[in-house]
Structures are given as structure tokens and as C-alpha cells.
Amino acid sequence: MVDRLLEMFRLQEELNRKINENWREIRSKEDFARATWIECAELVDSLPWKWWKKQQADMENVQIEVVDIWHFVMSYILMDYSVEEALESKPVKMFIMGVNEDFRNIDIEGEKINHYLGETDRYRKIIYLAERVAESFLRQDENEGAFFFGLLVKNTISMDRLYLLYVGKNILNHIRQEKGYGSGNYRKNINGMEDNQYLFQLVSQVSGRKELEEKIRQLFEEIHK
């Protein structure tokens, strides 16, 4: 897990620098906290929480939103640490504890942990975790936020799939920047389907990062000729 975490933090640093070389001087923790809770809200909206209408859970989109949240969680952490330092930071250690459901020696209210452990409905549990992630980062408690994000990953996606989807989304984000995302010229919807959905399909067809990058670039270069 450590090697993949290091690679993902390195890729996030590179993407942030591509968007703006001096991103740490321009962005703030509040920016990344806000982006995190917006993505958490989009995740919640993929689940059947509306009691006044019939809804179907969209777990594919839940996984995409988890990956989007991860972009901003890593960026929040990287505001204080270099890529190498991040792996030894308290937030990343708390994230790993969350993924492993390790509740030993954590400074988090017992009521929150008991609520998590006592919730038997899968969708309500995921919603609860997403709300705790958003709440924690808005309070600028990155340790608690990273822990609950680890639990969110545990309950929605495997680490292998998180890695592949993150790498794929990172490649897609680079293509977006290259194709005019910042200027508003990028077409996100292609033949009635979002680029994220194309990405999700591609991840299901490959066995590793190299093949994934080749397929993504081939597809989107063709679309955006």
C-alpha cells in the first residue's frame, strides 16, 4: 500500500503544479475543504437518501466520487508536507488506520465510532462516513477527516481499484487541462456520457497502469481531435 500511496501523492503534486506551479501560495486549506465537502455531497446524492422519491443506488458513481474526494484530501495534506513527508504524516497514518478499521489509540469521539459500528444499512453507513469526512475537513481536522475517509474507502472500494481509478482520473485530468478545461473549451460530455463514465468502463477492462494510460489517451485523443 505504501508504494501506491507514494505514487498517488507524487501524481497529485504533479497535477497541482500543472494547474498552477505555485499552487501552495495560491490555494488554501479552505479551498480543498470546500471541494471535499462538495464531492461528498455528490457522493451522497448517488445513494437513495431522498425519502420523497424512489431512487436507485449508483455505486459506480460513488466510487468515482470517492476518487474525486481523494484528490482534494491529498491536496489538503500536501499543503503542509512534501510528497515524501506526507507518507509519514499523521493524516496518512490515520487514513491507513481507517482503511484497516483499526480503532486503537485514536483521538475520535466514541459516539462517532459507535454510530459507525452500529449502523447496519450499507447506504446509510456510507452516507454517514461521507458526512463525517466533510464535517472534519470543514473544521480543519485533517486527522479525523483522513480516518473517516479511510473508513469510506473500506466500505466502497478496494485499494487496488482506488489506485487504478485514481491513476486513470489523474491521466484524464491532465488531458482535460491540455484540451482546454481551464478555458472552458473542453467537452466533458461525449455522445451523451460523461468522460468519468468512459473512464470507469476502461478501468474495468485493464490489468495495470500502463495499459490503462494507453487506452485512456487513445480514446480521448480520438474524441478531441
PDB file of all heavy atoms in Angstrom, residues 176-190:
ATOM      1  N   ARG A 176      -7.706  16.848 -19.653  1.00  0.00           N
ATOM      2  CA  ARG A 176      -8.648  17.974 -19.531  1.00  0.00           C
ATOM      3  C   ARG A 176      -7.906  19.307 -19.593  1.00  0.00           C
ATOM      4  O   ARG A 176      -8.335  20.242 -20.285  1.00  0.00           O
ATOM      5  CB  ARG A 176      -9.418  17.873 -18.212  1.00  0.00           C
ATOM      6  CG  ARG A 176     -10.516  16.830 -18.189  1.00  0.00           C
ATOM      7  CD  ARG A 176     -11.092  16.699 -16.794  1.00  0.00           C
ATOM      8  NE  ARG A 176     -12.308  15.906 -16.750  1.00  0.00           N
ATOM      9  CZ  ARG A 176     -12.982  15.637 -15.625  1.00  0.00           C
ATOM     10  NH1 ARG A 176     -12.529  16.096 -14.464  1.00  0.00           N
ATOM     11  NH2 ARG A 176     -14.079  14.903 -15.665  1.00  0.00           N
ATOM     12  N   GLN A 177      -6.810  19.406 -18.847  1.00  0.00           N
ATOM     13  CA  GLN A 177      -6.038  20.648 -18.855  1.00  0.00           C
ATOM     14  C   GLN A 177      -5.462  20.925 -20.235  1.00  0.00           C
ATOM     15  O   GLN A 177      -5.482  22.062 -20.723  1.00  0.00           O
ATOM     16  CB  GLN A 177      -4.915  20.585 -17.816  1.00  0.00           C
ATOM     17  CG  GLN A 177      -5.391  20.563 -16.367  1.00  0.00           C
ATOM     18  CD  GLN A 177      -6.152  21.817 -15.985  1.00  0.00           C
ATOM     19  OE1 GLN A 177      -5.750  22.915 -16.321  1.00  0.00           O
ATOM     20  NE2 GLN A 177      -7.259  21.647 -15.272  1.00  0.00           N
ATOM     21  N   GLU A 178      -4.974  19.874 -20.881  1.00  0.00           N
ATOM     22  CA  GLU A 178      -4.367  20.027 -22.208  1.00  0.00           C
ATOM     23  C   GLU A 178      -5.394  20.407 -23.268  1.00  0.00           C
ATOM     24  O   GLU A 178      -5.073  21.079 -24.252  1.00  0.00           O
ATOM     25  CB  GLU A 178      -3.663  18.723 -22.603  1.00  0.00           C
ATOM     26  CG  GLU A 178      -2.458  18.387 -21.733  1.00  0.00           C
ATOM     27  CD  GLU A 178      -2.060  16.915 -21.829  1.00  0.00           C
ATOM     28  OE1 GLU A 178      -2.605  16.202 -22.705  1.00  0.00           O
ATOM     29  OE2 GLU A 178      -1.230  16.475 -21.013  1.00  0.00           O
ATOM     30  N   LYS A 179      -6.639  19.975 -23.051  1.00  0.00           N
ATOM     31  CA  LYS A 179      -7.694  20.188 -24.051  1.00  0.00           C
ATOM     32  C   LYS A 179      -8.616  21.358 -23.704  1.00  0.00           C
ATOM     33  O   LYS A 179      -9.704  21.473 -24.261  1.00  0.00           O
ATOM     34  CB  LYS A 179      -8.527  18.912 -24.219  1.00  0.00           C
ATOM     35  CG  LYS A 179      -7.727  17.690 -24.646  1.00  0.00           C
ATOM     36  CD  LYS A 179      -7.102  17.859 -26.015  1.00  0.00           C
ATOM     37  CE  LYS A 179      -6.323  16.630 -26.430  1.00  0.00           C
ATOM     38  NZ  LYS A 179      -5.680  16.776 -27.758  1.00  0.00           N
ATOM     39  N   GLY A 180      -8.193  22.210 -22.785  1.00  0.00           N
ATOM     40  CA  GLY A 180      -8.931  23.449 -22.567  1.00  0.00           C
ATOM     41  C   GLY A 180      -9.926  23.444 -21.431  1.00  0.00           C
ATOM     42  O   GLY A 180     -10.874  24.226 -21.426  1.00  0.00           O
ATOM     43  N   TYR A 181      -9.719  22.605 -20.425  1.00  0.00           N
ATOM     44  CA  TYR A 181     -10.642  22.560 -19.283  1.00  0.00           C
ATOM     45  C   TYR A 181     -10.672  23.902 -18.561  1.00  0.00           C
ATOM     46  O   TYR A 181     -11.733  24.397 -18.181  1.00  0.00           O
ATOM     47  CB  TYR A 181     -10.206  21.441 -18.332  1.00  0.00           C
ATOM     48  CG  TYR A 181     -11.293  20.926 -17.412  1.00  0.00           C
ATOM     49  CD1 TYR A 181     -12.549  20.588 -17.906  1.00  0.00           C
ATOM     50  CD2 TYR A 181     -11.050  20.727 -16.051  1.00  0.00           C
ATOM     51  CE1 TYR A 181     -13.539  20.084 -17.075  1.00  0.00           C
ATOM     52  CE2 TYR A 181     -12.038  20.223 -15.214  1.00  0.00           C
ATOM     53  CZ  TYR A 181     -13.271  19.896 -15.731  1.00  0.00           C
ATOM     54  OH  TYR A 181     -14.248  19.397 -14.903  1.00  0.00           O
ATOM     55  N   GLY A 182      -9.493  24.497 -18.374  1.00  0.00           N
ATOM     56  CA  GLY A 182      -9.408  25.761 -17.651  1.00  0.00           C
ATOM     57  C   GLY A 182     -10.037  26.931 -18.399  1.00  0.00           C
ATOM     58  O   GLY A 182     -10.522  27.880 -17.783  1.00  0.00           O
ATOM     59  N   SER A 183     -10.049  26.861 -19.725  1.00  0.00           N
ATOM     60  CA  SER A 183     -10.603  27.958 -20.532  1.00  0.00           C
ATOM     61  C   SER A 183     -12.051  27.724 -20.921  1.00  0.00           C
ATOM     62  O   SER A 183     -12.677  28.573 -21.553  1.00  0.00           O
ATOM     63  CB  SER A 183      -9.760  28.132 -21.806  1.00  0.00           C
ATOM     64  OG  SER A 183      -9.804  26.945 -22.594  1.00  0.00           O
ATOM     65  N   GLY A 184     -12.587  26.544 -20.558  1.00  0.00           N
ATOM     66  CA  GLY A 184     -13.976  26.239 -20.859  1.00  0.00           C
ATOM     67  C   GLY A 184     -14.196  25.599 -22.214  1.00  0.00           C
ATOM     68  O   GLY A 184     -15.348  25.454 -22.661  1.00  0.00           O
ATOM     69  N   ASN A 185     -13.121  25.183 -22.888  1.00  0.00           N
ATOM     70  CA  ASN A 185     -13.246  24.606 -24.226  1.00  0.00           C
ATOM     71  C   ASN A 185     -13.323  23.079 -24.233  1.00  0.00           C
ATOM     72  O   ASN A 185     -13.542  22.473 -25.281  1.00  0.00           O
ATOM     73  CB  ASN A 185     -12.059  25.041 -25.101  1.00  0.00           C
ATOM     74  CG  ASN A 185     -12.063  26.532 -25.364  1.00  0.00           C
ATOM     75  OD1 ASN A 185     -13.121  27.118 -25.563  1.00  0.00           O
ATOM     76  ND2 ASN A 185     -10.890  27.150 -25.348  1.00  0.00           N
ATOM     77  N   TYR A 186     -13.136  22.473 -23.079  1.00  0.00           N
ATOM     78  CA  TYR A 186     -13.150  21.008 -23.011  1.00  0.00           C
ATOM     79  C   TYR A 186     -14.581  20.478 -23.014  1.00  0.00           C
ATOM     80  O   TYR A 186     -15.449  21.013 -22.311  1.00  0.00           O
ATOM     81  CB  TYR A 186     -12.428  20.541 -21.744  1.00  0.00           C
ATOM     82  CG  TYR A 186     -12.422  19.038 -21.550  1.00  0.00           C
ATOM     83  CD1 TYR A 186     -11.503  18.246 -22.219  1.00  0.00           C
ATOM     84  CD2 TYR A 186     -13.339  18.417 -20.699  1.00  0.00           C
ATOM     85  CE1 TYR A 186     -11.480  16.872 -22.045  1.00  0.00           C
ATOM     86  CE2 TYR A 186     -13.326  17.044 -20.514  1.00  0.00           C
ATOM     87  CZ  TYR A 186     -12.398  16.281 -21.184  1.00  0.00           C
ATOM     88  OH  TYR A 186     -12.388  14.919 -21.011  1.00  0.00           O
ATOM     89  N   ARG A 187     -14.846  19.425 -23.790  1.00  0.00           N
ATOM     90  CA  ARG A 187     -16.169  18.802 -23.823  1.00  0.00           C
ATOM     91  C   ARG A 187     -16.193  17.616 -22.848  1.00  0.00           C
ATOM     92  O   ARG A 187     -15.601  16.581 -23.118  1.00  0.00           O
ATOM     93  CB  ARG A 187     -16.500  18.319 -25.238  1.00  0.00           C
ATOM     94  CG  ARG A 187     -16.803  19.444 -26.204  1.00  0.00           C
ATOM     95  CD  ARG A 187     -17.263  18.914 -27.546  1.00  0.00           C
ATOM     96  NE  ARG A 187     -16.201  18.200 -28.256  1.00  0.00           N
ATOM     97  CZ  ARG A 187     -16.251  16.900 -28.552  1.00  0.00           C
ATOM     98  NH1 ARG A 187     -17.268  16.165 -28.181  1.00  0.00           N
ATOM     99  NH2 ARG A 187     -15.258  16.335 -29.229  1.00  0.00           N
ATOM    100  N   LYS A 188     -16.874  17.787 -21.732  1.00  0.00           N
ATOM    101  CA  LYS A 188     -16.923  16.742 -20.711  1.00  0.00           C
ATOM    102  C   LYS A 188     -17.915  15.646 -21.074  1.00  0.00           C
ATOM    103  O   LYS A 188     -17.717  14.481 -20.743  1.00  0.00           O
ATOM    104  CB  LYS A 188     -17.294  17.363 -19.359  1.00  0.00           C
ATOM    105  CG  LYS A 188     -17.102  16.425 -18.188  1.00  0.00           C
ATOM    106  CD  LYS A 188     -17.310  17.149 -16.856  1.00  0.00           C
ATOM    107  CE  LYS A 188     -17.019  16.228 -15.683  1.00  0.00           C
ATOM    108  NZ  LYS A 188     -17.199  16.910 -14.390  1.00  0.00           N
ATOM    109  N   ASN A 189     -19.001  16.004 -21.743  1.00  0.00           N
ATOM    110  CA  ASN A 189     -19.998  15.032 -22.169  1.00  0.00           C
ATOM    111  C   ASN A 189     -19.723  14.620 -23.610  1.00  0.00           C
ATOM    112  O   ASN A 189     -19.613  15.463 -24.505  1.00  0.00           O
ATOM    113  CB  ASN A 189     -21.408  15.625 -22.054  1.00  0.00           C
ATOM    114  CG  ASN A 189     -21.862  15.717 -20.611  1.00  0.00           C
ATOM    115  OD1 ASN A 189     -22.172  14.710 -19.995  1.00  0.00           O
ATOM    116  ND2 ASN A 189     -21.876  16.934 -20.076  1.00  0.00           N
ATOM    117  N   ILE A 190     -19.598  13.317 -23.806  1.00  0.00           N
ATOM    118  CA  ILE A 190     -19.236  12.771 -25.105  1.00  0.00           C
ATOM    119  C   ILE A 190     -20.275  11.725 -25.484  1.00  0.00           C
ATOM    120  O   ILE A 190     -20.441  10.716 -24.784  1.00  0.00           O
ATOM    121  CB  ILE A 190     -17.834  12.110 -25.052  1.00  0.00           C
ATOM    122  CG1 ILE A 190     -16.812  13.121 -24.518  1.00  0.00           C
ATOM    123  CG2 ILE A 190     -17.430  11.595 -26.409  1.00  0.00           C
ATOM    124  CD1 ILE A 190     -15.605  12.489 -23.885  1.00  0.00           C
TER     125      ILE A 190
END
